[in-house]
Amino acid sequence: MYSIGVDLGGTNIAIGLVDEKGCILDKRSIPTRKEREADAILQDIAMLCIEIIEKNALKEKQINAIGIGVPGKTLPLEGIILSASNLHLDDINVKNHIQKYINIPVYVENDANCAALAEVLVGAAEGEKDVIVVTLGTGIGGGIIIDGQIYRGAFSGAGEIGHQVIALEGHTCGCGRKGCWEQYASATALIRDAKQAAKANPNTKMIALTKEEKIENITPKQIFEAMQLGDETAAEVLNQYFQYVANGLTNLINILEPSCIILGGGISAQKEVLTEPIKKYVQQQMYGGLPLKTEIKSALLGNDAGIIGAALLETTFL
Amino acid sequence: MYSIGVDLGGTNIAIGLVDEKGCILDKRSIPTRKEREADAILQDIAMLCIEIIEKNALKEKQINAIGIGVPGKTLPLEGIILSASNLHLDDINVKNHIQKYINIPVYVENDANCAALAEVLVGAAEGEKDVIVVTLGTGIGGGIIIDGQIYRGAFSGAGEIGHQVIALEGHTCGCGRKGCWEQYASATALIRDAKQAAKANPNTKMIALTKEEKIENITPKQIFEAMQLGDETAAEVLNQYFQYVANGLTNLINILEPSCIILGGGISAQKEVLTEPIKKYVQQQMYGGLPLKTEIKSALLGNDAGIIGAALLETTFL
């Protein structure tokens, strides 16, 4: 048997045919064109599902479920998006829309929760019960797994771990607060700090590594490259960044004490270069210097985590 | 049927005979004298249990269980204290010790978790499923209830919500970090800030309210009294304090989104005078200004919460 996982993002709709082990057998992607009505977007998703089933010589009854991950709050079993403001998909019954075209069970889940579920079921935290998946991206996203299940909070909105204030009266955040963790430890924050450091240190190797040698074009990957080339400015920026990441992670460990924290997002491709210094700084902040028990690892599934988690969602309702 | 709840603290051992509805029918208290060996302390607890049973003309078989709350990490069902450093009770099988004297099932749980359980079963959050009980005391303690059950984390140490850094490079905390929430929002922090404000404003009414008119003797209750007498210095100190409390609560709401947060500790006797301004400041910090859904209330059970929760512990294992 198979499932279909859909990652409905602000830019693209990615869809995958997934087997029981969480392997993606076939994949499609189209632009979301999010300015469109819900009807049009959801019809596109249904058509993509039909296409991927037919192209793989399958029948509807061989597909267990369609799982859809969205950047917002949902009622998973009911197949409803409560709010996904960035996509103008508030209060939408996705299940009814999709089932106009295709007769398969439909589940809808927050995308960070899908990614977390995938890492726990078939990724870096396989078999772990209490896990936080932290996505270091444009902002900081979080998926919390408790006792092997997605934890959604009382009103479907838990996991906004990027919006914990770590610096009173610090940088203003898009959420309205000041000093949120994502203003210090997201990829966006890292880029901001690298640009600022490069302006103060124009000899940094970071500049030469960027497109057209313009610091405005710097990427997180290039900051790591510069550090590995021995550039001191990049090393300082990253050292500070690792401490910022560690500050928020230690907060989460003190509050929830998961067995495992998975770091995702593009930056997690740096693997141990990212996780080792962060582990060191978290250990330094452990209560009374006690040994850090929570494992800190990079994600294993990369950008596919959303599709895989969405596809495997139905297994959590059996 | 009845249960016995024990609140084993650093100063006193309090014990209560509790009925199925969580009412305390009889209570005893003796000094802990924590410098003693575990043997002696646990024998005292067993003797107190026997005494309270006999004085109430009950028999052992009418007692469902003895639940013991301790300031530390435990294995509840096994009846083991993993660590309770302040009491020198590390790696102690409490159940075996107690059952040398009395043949009743014994459970051992972290004291903040006991208090949280009590508030959820028969207190301010009765019937709620996802709750955080925040104790504003010497430090800040936390008990997390998820899906109606105590959440202990992967290594029995979850709920250290006081040790979330909210102010990078802020006040040094006993845990080794800087800027922990409890350095700003505990009763201890409130007293510190009131003393400091009184030194800068010697006309404050706070001083006259203290024992021997010495600001060193100020209590949280007196700070509230001064505010209610129209004292501006006290009002400013409390206004800042409410914001500090709100900062950490908003972090917890963004991460866990409980349906209800219960504020405990001596300060919670201030009821709405405490909770209303805190709610206002949490609402101001809600993501994008969205309405605050989490209820914020004061605890109902006061100092008895520990005994009641310990006594009702066994109902969670049925």
Side-chain angles (χ1 to χ4, degrees), chain A residues 157 163 165 251 254 257 285, chain B residues 157 163 165 177 251 254 257 285:
Chain A
H163 300 286
V165 164
N251 284 358
N254 285 348
E257 197 186 50
Q285 295 187 64
Chain B
H163 299 286
V165 165
R177 305 180 80 189
N251 284 358
N254 285 348
E257 198 187 50
Q285 295 188 63

Side-chain angles (χ1 to χ4, degrees), chain B residues 173-190:
Chain B
C173 184
C175 77
R177 305 180 80 189
K178 282 184 179 175
C180 281
W181 187 35
E182 76 170 34
Q183 293 302 319
Y184 296 83
S186 62
T188 310
L190 172 60

